[in-house]
Amino acid sequence: MCFCVSPDGNINNMSSNNNNGVRPYWWIVRQSRHKPKSELHIKRMRDLSEKDKQKGLNCMTDFEKVIDFENMYRAYRKAKSGKGYKKSSAKFGAMALDAINRLISQLSDRTYRISKYNEFKVYEPKERIIQTTSFKDKVVQHSLCDNVLLPKMQRIFLYDNAAGQKGKGTLFALDRLSFHMKAFYRKYGCNGYILKCDILKFFYNISHEQLKDIVEYYFSYDPDICWLCNLFIDSTEGKGIPLGNQINQGFALLYLDGMDKLIVRELGIEYYGRYMDDFYLMHPSKEYLKYCLEAITEFLITLGLELNGKTQIFPFKSGVNYLGFHTYVASGGKVIRKLKNQNKRNAQKKYLRMAKLVVNGKLPIEKFDTSYGAWKNHISHGNCYNLGMAMDTKINQILRR
């Protein structure tokens, strides 16, 4: 029989029935493998509470989901995250719970009003006027979009509507283009055409009345949601909705949803994709694409929109410019994605200038590395290895790295 001495001097013969008052070593090991019942109980109760919470949300109206305190608090945290220190968010955050309750009260009795917009310009990739709302309005937008608008829109949108949705974006849109080009090549070879379309000043020409009609069509069952959406739509005067607002990104996607369904369901286009106001159609017949172009033009007129001068029909073998890349099918069916020449020149000019500012002490090296690293990550999604290496060489010569 095996004996061992415990730390307090008692002899333990490794038997669970010993009279020495000491548990055997194997018994302690066996017991330690299992979580205490209290922890399992807590986890089980937490899982049940999450299920009950989801059941409660499913019983709410859409507007009740927007003004639910937990959803509003989550929207506040989301609006605050990644923004650094700003006076407006700090002021709201100083009394966040009271501020959220005040917003809920204002929304409930329809006394909520949108504050004046902040306006500024951006110059990359082209000059645009950006208008952003105050922090409290961002909180309301997040709650409305995350809990009602986007979940509803994702159910009604076509799969190849690629912008502004969870799990989608520019890379998704580019990958779908590659998928369509491969599929088209397997079926028709290079014997076909691509209709590439772009809408003239899309955000600036959206009709408020048309947009409100579309929102009411999808959300007529909840008048409070329609009221809140209309409040944001009419928050600026005249035609157009501001760039820079989360809710307006969703409205812009919804505004052209009818066009998506016209192209795919009525015109029968199998190879189609859209990222906001930039879209393409592929078909073996050039004449049929001309017919599609006429139908699209007529539909857009009903929305107060028109296509710009960049809209053209190209031979499939020439490829297409889409979201900053030129994509084409090489011999053998391989899809090649290269950065557009204009984008190459712009990037070279920008980063060589920034590198010289770093050398002269006018720009922190950390800021340069962040911006340049983001660009390198962007081009890594294309066949741009040689371009990246050439840029690295030029940058390192200036920085003497």
Side-chain angles (χ1 to χ4, degrees), residues 83-204:
K83 302 297 188 299
Y85 177 82
K86 288 189 177 179
K87 189 176 179 180
S88 58
S89 61
K91 185 178 178 181
F92 190 97
M95 299 186 69
L97 300 184
D98 289 340
I100 290 171
N101 278 318
R102 195 181 311 117
L103 277 177
I104 291 172
S105 176
Q106 291 172 352
L107 288 165
S108 298
D109 57 23
R110 293 197 179 190
T111 58
Y112 169 75
R113 295 295 179 267
I114 297 168
S115 301
K116 186 179 178 181
Y117 283 86
N118 303 309
E119 189 174 300
F120 59 93
K121 286 185 179 181
V122 296
Y123 299 94
E124 293 290 341
K126 59 184 178 182
E127 184 176 330
R128 289 191 179 102
I129 298 173
I130 305 296
Q131 292 174 294
T132 60
T133 53
S134 66
F135 187 80
K136 74 175 181 65
D137 298 323
K138 285 185 172 72
V139 174
V140 176
Q141 284 189 62
H142 274 292
S143 188
L144 176 58
C145 291
D146 296 346
N147 297 296
V148 177
L149 293 188
L150 291 180
K152 171 83 172 182
M153 289 176 183
Q154 285 187 300
R155 290 195 296 271
I156 63 176
F157 286 163
L158 297 182
Y159 183 68
D160 287 300
N161 181 346
Q165 300 163 69
K166 189 175 180 180
K168 295 184 180 181
T170 53
L171 181 57
F172 173 86
L174 287 166
D175 287 342
R176 289 299 293 171
L177 171 62
S178 297
F179 173 82
H180 287 149
M181 294 189 87
K182 282 180 183 177
F184 187 93
Y185 181 83
R186 284 196 297 267
K187 193 170 184 179
Y188 301 106
C190 289
N191 302 315
Y193 297 86
I194 301 174
L195 169 59
K196 174 65 172 52
C197 301
D198 195 5
I199 296 173
L200 179 66
K201 295 184 178 179
F202 175 48
F203 274 83
Y204 303 111

Side-chain angles (χ1 to χ4, degrees), residues 189-373:
C190 289
N191 302 315
Y193 297 86
I194 301 174
L195 169 59
K196 174 65 172 52
C197 301
D198 195 5
I199 296 173
L200 179 66
K201 295 184 178 179
F202 175 48
F203 274 83
Y204 303 111
N205 287 316
I206 289 176
S207 164
H208 289 196
E209 296 306 315
Q210 291 272 16
L211 180 56
K212 286 191 283 188
D213 287 345
I214 294 170
V215 169
E216 187 176 358
Y217 174 80
Y218 286 110
F219 296 97
S220 58
Y221 58 85
D222 196 328
D224 290 319
I225 289 293
C226 292
W227 164 77
L228 185 54
C229 288
N230 291 347
L231 206 61
F232 279 102
I233 292 169
D234 289 332
S235 60
T236 55
E237 295 180 358
K239 189 186 290 188
I241 56 177
L243 284 166
N245 283 355
Q246 181 193 18
I247 194 169
N248 288 343
Q249 304 291 322
F251 286 155
L253 293 172
L254 191 62
Y255 200 65
L256 292 180
D257 181 59
M259 183 191 73
D260 294 338
K261 288 166 182 172
L262 166 73
I263 292 169
V264 173
R265 297 176 182 174
E266 300 298 323
L267 299 177
I269 296 297
E270 184 178 358
Y271 308 105
Y272 168 74
R274 176 169 74 88
Y275 187 90
M276 204 56 75
D277 60 333
D278 204 2
F279 57 98
Y280 61 85
L281 297 75
M282 299 179 197
H283 198 271
S285 169
K286 186 176 183 178
E287 293 305 313
Y288 189 70
L289 285 180
K290 287 180 180 179
Y291 171 76
C292 292
L293 179 57
E294 290 177 7
I296 292 166
T297 302
E298 290 177 7
F299 181 86
L300 291 176
I301 289 171
T302 66
L303 296 176
L305 301 173
E306 61 178 301
L307 297 169
N308 66 20
K310 293 186 286 185
T311 299
Q312 284 183 318
I313 298 176
F314 303 94
F316 179 82
K317 62 184 178 183
S318 299
V320 62
N321 289 334
Y322 187 59
L323 302 180
F325 287 90
H326 180 71
T327 307
Y328 62 95
V329 178
S331 57
K334 182 179 179 180
V335 176
I336 305 296
R337 187 188 297 161
K338 297 273 192 178
L339 200 67
K340 285 167 57 178
N341 289 331
Q342 183 62 46
N343 290 9
K344 288 180 191 177
R345 290 190 289 270
N346 291 344
Q348 183 172 348
K349 184 178 177 181
K350 174 183 176 180
Y351 289 110
L352 293 181
R353 184 178 68 248
M354 287 179 70
K356 290 173 184 176
L357 290 175
V358 171
V359 172
N360 295 329
K362 296 180 180 179
L363 181 71
I365 185 67
E366 295 80 12
K367 190 171 182 180
F368 171 81
D369 286 340
T370 300
S371 179
Y372 185 62

Side-chain angles (χ1 to χ4, degrees), residues 71-82 100 135 139:
N71 288 340
M72 287 289 281
Y73 186 75
R74 196 177 295 115
Y76 155 68
R77 295 293 300 270
K78 196 169 182 180
K80 179 184 173 185
S81 66
I100 290 171
F135 187 80
V139 174

Side-chain angles (χ1 to χ4, degrees), residues 369-389:
D369 286 340
T370 300
S371 179
Y372 185 62
W375 180 78
K376 287 291 293 293
N377 182 63
H378 172 65
I379 66 170
S380 69
H381 298 300
N383 304 91
C384 305
Y385 177 79
N386 291 336
L387 172 64
M389 292 296 292

